[in-house]
Amino acid sequence: MLIDNKITNHAKWIHSLGRQGEQLYVSAMDLSKQDFSAMDLSEAVLLDSNLDMANLMQANLSSSNLGYSSLKSSNLTGTLLVKAEANHANFGKATMVNCDAFRATFIASDFEEADLTGANLASALLSEANLENAILSQGDLSYSTMNGCRVRGIQLAGVKGIETLAVDWIDIGPKGRVDKLVGKDAVEWLTRRANGQ
């Protein structure tokens, strides 16, 4: 399969520090239901591709670019997403338990009903993301940015770092209706959720 050859060449590229093989770069490719578990896909470019229901459990996607890709119902349990770029990506209903997304960017990405229990989102950029009904319990949001996020139904019990969030406003309204909370009110709303209220 074409992707297998590309992954093999990517592994050579990583291990030879770019002297052999070739960096993985795909665009608009159907990779749905593929098994990438435990693979080293760091610095891979997977743009505008279909990764729905893919198994990325414990894969290394650090410094990768997943912009505009769909990862709906995919398994990213324990996946490394450190410094990854995943702007405008769709993680709807994905399982992202204990994933490490330190300093990752998820601008305008969709996490509706995703399970990010225990995820490390410290210093992550989540501006304009849809976090409706997402589970972020027991995770870390220290110094992350959540400007303009949809947060209706979000679960934040036990989350660390709420007091360090950068947030100008959030949307707590139902679908089709914006209900903004601004500044201090936004932080207080999120803090109450983190305290299980």
Side-chain angles (χ1 to χ4, degrees):
M1 189 175 177
L2 176 62
I3 191 63
D4 294 331
N5 292 334
K6 286 180 176 289
I7 289 171
T8 298
N9 283 330
H10 185 71
K12 291 177 182 177
W13 180 79
I14 291 170
H15 295 130
S16 69
L17 302 178
R19 289 188 294 272
Q20 296 176 354
E22 186 176 6
Q23 181 181 18
L24 177 59
Y25 185 107
V26 299
S27 179
M29 182 174 277
D30 184 0
L31 301 170
S32 58
K33 301 181 181 179
Q34 296 293 313
D35 186 0
F36 301 108
S37 57
M39 289 186 181
D40 188 349
L41 300 175
S42 55
E43 299 185 56
V45 179
L46 302 165
L47 297 175
D48 194 24
S49 292
N50 181 0
L51 289 145
D52 293 348
M53 295 182 281
N55 183 6
L56 292 152
M57 185 175 181
Q58 296 183 335
N60 184 355
L61 286 162
S62 297
S63 300
S64 64
N65 191 336
L66 300 167
Y68 293 90
S69 287
S70 180
L71 296 99
K72 291 183 291 186
S73 300
S74 57
N75 184 358
L76 292 108
T77 300
T79 300
L80 290 178
L81 289 161
V82 175
K83 298 182 182 178
E85 291 185 33
N87 301 324
H88 300 276
N90 191 338
F91 294 92
K93 296 185 178 180
T95 302
M96 304 177 73
V97 175
N98 295 327
C99 74
D100 187 352
F102 174 71
R103 287 185 63 186
T105 60
F106 298 107
I107 297 171
S109 291
D110 191 345
F111 292 92
E112 187 167 355
E113 296 185 30
D115 186 353
L116 293 111
T117 301
N120 179 15
L121 292 162
S123 299
L125 187 55
L126 292 155
S127 295
E128 300 176 36
N130 178 13
L131 295 164
E132 187 170 1
N133 296 314
I135 304 170
L136 279 74
S137 302
Q138 309 302 321
D140 191 348
L141 285 169
S142 298
Y143 301 101
S144 61
T145 302
M146 287 181 66
N147 290 327
C149 289
R150 279 189 50 75
V151 293
R152 187 178 179 87
I154 193 171
Q155 296 182 38
L156 294 170
V159 161
K160 295 188 293 185
I162 289 290
E163 69 283 358
T164 66
L165 275 178
V167 52
D168 292 331
W169 66 276
I170 54 175
D171 176 10
I172 63 169
K175 273 188 173 59
R177 194 188 85 210
V178 175
D179 187 356
K180 281 188 180 182
L181 288 179
V182 180
K184 183 180 176 183
D185 291 337
V187 175
E188 287 180 352
W189 189 94
L190 293 166
T191 300
R192 287 197 300 273
R193 295 301 179 282
N195 291 333
Q197 298 175 25

